[in-house]
């Protein structure tokens, strides 16, 4: 059926036949997006007329009947296992027929590899599949498939960018699972915008969704992300699709993390860990063992007992604290929220006596893993304190977890028993944790107590250490960290001898750093 196009304001919904830089409806700039409209079908129009006639006849809209939820038939969702356990878990148990999954990630992260592997497995176990590649030629996709498991070569491929041709092929071949790689490369010929523009991406996704739901095809739409990490252009797609998966990691490192940002058929807390190898992506099932074995145990290194969704994961958090030459010292994080680091540094300074005001602070979650939970606060605090004082944690390897409150208290976080079990399984003793975490934990109530438990008493006594010192002059820490006595900083001016400067809770505003 012939389609026409209109320009629609994404803010106020104003429609116009022509494009305007400024919306005549709401006066916002650059909000008009081209959309195609299908003329209403004759029968639908007829139905509309008869409803209107009925409404007109009795003067009110006909009432619909609502039903109690218990009477709604809940058909068990059938799922197709992708053959990749980590992906199945993130999806909530496998691919759901008729669902639309958006898989985002930066170029080179492994989206095509993962989707090739999924279709290879499904094809091998007897499902009909289709791989639509708008980005690479069929030969390029074959070259990749040769590196993967043998089933990948059995997947039918269509290298095409025209949306209508792709939809016709899906309708004719009726695959049970289909991958569109990528949604930004397909284009609807009736829209004038280039493939990848907001209007095009929205149209492509909407029409694929119509077909997917009608035919019960499980579709994975591959999408690129912009430099700042958002799914390029089509944030609108996130509302349309059933599930949004984000593939993260650093290209230079082998680890890749798959997270669900939205999932209508499962939890959004789950994350899967993969490693890119010669033969494709391999699930990392023993991640905790690897990260604990690789932990350096040097000053600034702490093992965090984190939760990745429903699964505990032990990761190493590393910190480096170095005198800064800059007016505004650097705060560099990798694998953590930058604002969280700022908060932890402020709490450390105010309630832990570890001031970093004049120092560059670098914090990294080793292995390219991202930790997105409040339980990481204590690990960041201990890593920074240990790096700042130049001493490793007492009794390493030992783990920790807990959220820091603004008043310096350590707050309870979810699943302490699973975190402690995982830590015990990998040989970590005396895990520092908030109160009520479990009998095997070294429970503490405040940051100050955690510092006393984690760092050797007298660490830094009298010995000059590089520290948070503006201007780079040496700083020595004296006094006991912890609740007993406030740590003290001995500032040694090169020519004027040492000057004792108390720091910590009691010192208040006298802290010079
Ligand atoms: P690819 O899946 O093409 O990434 P995307 O579709 O997200 O852009 O794969 C990216 C990288 O993975 C590429 O640099 C090559 C590497 N790779 C391997 O190391 N091993 C393999 O078996 C495959 C298929 C790819
Ligand atoms: Mg690709």
């Amino acid at each position: 059926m012939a389609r026409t196009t209109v320009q629609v304001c994404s803010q106020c919904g104003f429609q116009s036949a022509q494009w305007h830089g400024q919306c005549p409806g709401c006066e916002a700039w650059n909000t008009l997006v081209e959309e195609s409209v299908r003329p209403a079908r004759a029968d639908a129009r007829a139905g509309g007329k008869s409803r209107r006639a009925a409404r007109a006849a009795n003067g009110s809209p006909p009432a619909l009947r609502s039903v109690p939820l218990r009477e709604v038939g809940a058909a068990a969702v059938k799922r197709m296992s992708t053959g990749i356990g980590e992906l199945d878990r993130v999806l909530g148990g496998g691919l759901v027929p008729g669902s639309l999954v958006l898989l985002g990630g930066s170029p080179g992260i492994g989206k095509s590899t993962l989707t090739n592997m999924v279709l290879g497995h499904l094809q091998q176990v007897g499902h009909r599949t289709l791989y639509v590649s708008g980005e690479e030629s069929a030969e390029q996709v074959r070259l990749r498939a040769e590196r993967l498991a043998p089933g990948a070569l059995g997947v039918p491929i269509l290298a095409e960018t025209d949306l209508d041709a792709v939809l016709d092929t899906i309708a004719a071949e009726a695959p049970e699972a289909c991958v569109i790689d990528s949604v930004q490369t397909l284009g609807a010929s009736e829209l004038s915008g280039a493939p990848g523009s907001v209007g095009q991406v929205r149209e492509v996704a909407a029409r694929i969704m119509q077909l997917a739901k009608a035919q019960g095809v499980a579709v994975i739409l591959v999408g690129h992300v912009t430099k700042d990490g958002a799914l390029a252009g089509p944030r609108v797609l996130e509302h349309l699709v059933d599930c949004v998966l984000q593939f993260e990691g650093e290209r230079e490192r082998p680890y890749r993390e798959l997270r669900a940002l939205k999932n209508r058929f499962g939890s959004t807390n789950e994350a899967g860990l993969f490693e890119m190898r010669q033969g494709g992506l391999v699930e990392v099932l023993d991640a905790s063992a690897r990260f604990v074995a690789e932990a350096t145990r040097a000053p600034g290194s702490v093992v965090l007992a984190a939760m990745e969704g429903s699964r505990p994961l032990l990761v190493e958090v590393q910190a480096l604290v170095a005198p800064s030459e800059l007016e505004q010292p650097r705060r560099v994080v990798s694998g953590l929220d930058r604002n969280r680091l700022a908060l932890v540094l402020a709490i450390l300074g105010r309630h832990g006596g570890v001031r970093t005001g004049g120092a560059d602070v670098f914090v990294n979650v080793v292995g390219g893993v991202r930790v997105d939970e409040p339980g990481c606060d204590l690990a960041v605090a201990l890593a920074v304190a240990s790096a700042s004082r130049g001493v490793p944690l007492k009794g390493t390897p030992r783990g920790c977890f807990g959220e820091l409150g603004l008043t310096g208290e350590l707050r309870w976080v979810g699943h302490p028993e699973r975190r402690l079990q995982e830590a015990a399984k990998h040989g970590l003793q005396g895990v520092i944790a908030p109160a009520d975490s479990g009998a095997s934990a070294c429970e503490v109530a405040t940051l100050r107590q955690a510092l006393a438990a984690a760092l050797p008493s007298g660490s830094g006594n009298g010995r000059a250490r590089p520290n948070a010192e503006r201007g780079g002059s040496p700083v020595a820490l004296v006094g006991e960290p912890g609740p007993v006595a406030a740590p003290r900083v001995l500032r040694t001016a090169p020519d004027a001898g040492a000057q004792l400067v108390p720091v910590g809770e009691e010192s208040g505003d006298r802290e010079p750093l």
Side-chain angles (χ1 to χ4, degrees):
M1 188 170 296
R3 285 168 172 267
T4 52
T5 63
V6 286
Q7 303 288 335
V8 182
C9 174
S10 48
Q11 277 197 9
C12 70
F14 176 87
Q15 292 196 3
S16 159
Q18 328 155 271
W19 191 78
H20 300 268
Q22 188 179 21
C23 172
C26 65
E27 300 190 345
W29 285 93
N30 296 323
T31 51
L32 264 70
V33 171
E34 188 184 28
E35 283 189 358
S36 77
V37 282
R38 185 195 283 256
R41 292 208 320 267
D43 54 346
R45 279 201 298 269
K49 267 185 197 156
S50 64
R51 259 206 304 278
R52 273 199 301 276
R55 269 190 233 147
N58 62 15
S60 63
L64 302 173
R65 198 177 77 83
S66 60
V67 286
L69 281 172
R70 79 177 77 82
E71 288 175 25
V72 177
V77 183
K78 276 201 297 180
R79 295 177 186 263
M80 287 184 280
S81 167
T82 62
I84 303 172
E86 291 286 278
L87 176 59
D88 280 353
R89 204 164 46 78
V90 175
L91 285 169
L95 277 174
V96 177
S99 69
L100 221 63
V101 175
L102 178 63
L103 173 65
S106 46
I109 205 79
K111 301 179 296 296
S112 304
T113 307
L114 185 71
T115 48
N116 269 205
M117 290 169 66
V118 168
L119 290 194
H121 169 81
L122 290 173
Q123 184 76 26
Q124 205 165 27
V125 298
H127 292 291
R128 290 184 309 281
T129 65
L130 178 65
Y131 189 94
V132 178
S133 175
E135 251 170 36
E136 295 165 305
S137 67
E139 292 77 19
Q140 285 171 316
V141 179
R142 188 205 148 108
L143 281 177
R144 178 188 301 107
E146 280 173 3
R147 299 169 69 179
L148 308 177
L153 285 170
V155 176
I157 177 161
L158 174 72
E160 180 56 66
T161 55
D162 180 62
L163 176 63
D164 288 314
V166 170
L167 290 174
D168 289 347
T169 313
I170 296 175
E173 299 199 356
E176 290 162 80
C178 174
V179 168
I180 309 286
D181 189 1
S182 66
V183 66
Q184 282 117 329
T185 53
L186 294 199
S189 50
E190 65 270 17
L191 297 191
S192 55
S197 60
V198 175
Q200 283 280 11
V201 167
R202 202 147 69 167
E203 175 73 4
V204 167
R207 286 179 61 193
I208 289 177
M209 186 182 71
Q210 274 175 6
L211 190 63
K213 302 272 177 215
Q215 284 195 197
V217 194
V219 178
I220 302 179
L221 297 174
V222 174
H224 293 296
V225 293
T226 52
K227 278 190 201 125
D228 58 2
L231 281 165
R235 278 219 82 100
V236 272
L237 284 195
E238 295 185 10
H239 304 290
L240 193 79
V241 299
D242 299 300
C243 181
V244 180
L245 303 184
Q246 180 86 327
F247 213 13
E248 296 175 346
E250 291 161 40
R251 274 181 73 164
E252 308 72 37
R253 306 237 192 114
Y255 295 115
R256 306 275 185 269
E257 214 176 356
L258 187 69
R259 291 176 171 278
L261 305 184
K262 166 185 176 177
N263 194 352
R264 287 186 181 147
F265 305 111
S267 156
T268 48
N269 288 329
E270 299 297 341
L273 201 62
F274 296 89
E275 194 180 355
M276 184 59 98
R277 295 222 193 122
Q278 264 306 309
L281 288 159
V282 180
E283 298 167 67
V284 180
L285 300 173
D286 58 346
S288 292
R290 282 200 203 188
F291 293 141
V292 170
E294 286 169 10
T296 61
R297 296 154 174 78
S301 160
V302 174
V303 175
L304 162 67
M307 288 302 292
E308 287 270 271
S310 60
R311 188 175 58 166
L313 177 69
L314 304 177
V315 285
E316 183 190 6
V317 175
Q318 288 188 349
L320 173 67
V321 178
S324 182
E325 304 294 325
L326 302 173
E327 193 52 41
Q328 203 169 14
R330 287 189 196 89
R331 300 283 178 259
V332 182
V333 281
S334 161
L336 288 165
D337 179 13
R338 195 168 185 276
N339 293 328
R340 203 83 210 165
L341 172 66
L343 185 75
V344 170
L345 292 183
I347 297 170
L348 250 183
R350 186 66 188 85
H351 300 290
V354 180
R355 309 270 170 152
T356 51
D360 289 333
V361 180
F362 305 83
V363 179
N364 179 28
V365 182
V366 180
V369 178
R370 192 168 170 76
V371 183
D372 253 339
E373 62 138 347
C376 68
D377 288 357
L378 182 59
V380 174
L382 292 184
V384 170
S386 158
S388 171
R389 293 180 179 169
V391 288
L393 253 58
K394 276 194 288 191
T396 46
R398 72 189 299 182
C400 68
F401 62 88
E403 180 182 1
L404 288 176
L406 297 186
T407 58
E409 83 279 18
L410 197 60
R411 303 176 72 96
W412 189 89
V413 287
H415 305 292
E417 66 302 327
R418 299 173 92 160
R419 298 175 196 254
L420 291 170
Q421 265 171 18
E422 184 78 353
K425 198 167 116 193
H426 294 93
L428 304 188
Q429 303 297 328
V431 175
I432 303 172
D436 292 333
S437 291
S440 64
C442 166
E443 291 183 354
V444 293
T446 62
L447 171 64
R448 216 152 245 283
Q449 290 173 4
L451 288 169
L455 294 173
S457 55
S459 58
N461 270 1
R463 287 193 6 240
R465 300 188 184 283
N467 205 326
E469 172 68 41
R470 193 180 290 275
S473 39
V475 172
L477 296 169
V478 294
E480 290 287 308
V484 193
R488 288 164 182 272
V489 168
L490 182 69
R491 176 176 275 191
T492 54
D495 45 355
Q499 179 196 358
L500 195 64
V501 186
V503 296
E505 236 163 25
E506 293 82 350
S507 63
D509 292 331
R510 284 180 295 149
E511 160 61 278
L513 293 175

